[in-house]
Amino acid sequence: MGAATALMLVMGLSAQAAPQVATDITPVHSLVSQVMDGVGEPALVIQRGASPHSYSLRPSEAAALEDAEIVFWIGPALTPWLANGLGNLAGDARQVGLLAASVTDQRMFREDGHDHADAHDHDAHDHEAHEPEGDEAHDHDSHDHETHDSHGHEAHDHDDHSDAHAHDHDHAHDGVDPHAWLDPGNARAWLGLIADTLADADPANAAVYQRNARAAQSRLTELTATIDQQLAPVRDTPYIVFHDAYQYFEARFGLNHAGAIALSDASDPSPARIARVRDAVAEADVRCVFAEPQFNPGLVASVVDGTDADTGVLDPLGSDIPSGASFYPTLLRDLADRMMDCLGN
């Protein structure tokens, strides 16, 4: 009887339900899904294809925040409106802001959409050599990160500032660029942080989270090397993007960004800026100008008019990619393929 009771207790412990987890955008949802594989499924708050900068929660998404015990999100620099939502709906949840985490390689916004030396000023390939491997990625204890995430940058702390940033840094365009998921080095570090956070909240499944994170990190390391090799032939080829959202990807793979049509995706650029970018296309012998699917293609057409530049399309949020665990690696491949298609011609 004692043995049977013990067996039941063990079975009950192993069958313990995973914590309720919510995520903000599809790239973060993908990373958390990989870590939670076989244990649970995180909720996605901002649906695929929607702008993260301004979004109206559906009742089901608000309910997901209310039920959440842990929330993984980029932070208020990307979704200022969500800071209020977290405070009102998920005030008791553990909130992990990935952009503010100590493991994150942050990059400052570029002045006028052009490259300038930033505080990190490091080569992408050198940084790849310093990324944590395997268990090293988990040496950062989840409590240590929490001091930089949910406690040090708690949603309530940003409520007073949310209105000032409500237009996606369009006016000031300074501070930390929030598009940090486009650096796979950051994603590898976040996988470790996600696993540590989940393991701390759910010790019964800790081994699964850690194993999943290590496997996902290994796959991502291989994919990063593959993309690096794929993009090597066009590394020096100049191009212009619609809005300046890709510097994390560009720095990781050493690409030749020559400027952006718009500093932000919150408003259209002025005619004067369009004229300056058109001049830059000719002066820098730009090979390609990349549009984004959510914005007016006529702006890109006006920039390339009278030049030899081709046009392509990039999407930092992968609006056409199905959400789920495979989303993030698919997004990286899609960006690399689209760049090669236009720059390699």
Side-chain angles (χ1 to χ4, degrees), residues 105-110 116-122 247 251:
D105 182 12
Q106 298 177 344
R107 305 190 72 85
M108 307 304 289
F109 277 118
R110 296 183 283 204
H116 294 274
D118 63 17
H120 297 275
D121 193 23
H122 56 267
Q247 66 166 317

Side-chain angles (χ1 to χ4, degrees), residues 93-109:
R94 187 172 184 176
Q95 300 167 22
V96 182
L98 298 173
L99 184 64
S102 61
V103 298
T104 303
D105 182 12
Q106 298 177 344
R107 305 190 72 85
M108 307 304 289
F109 277 118

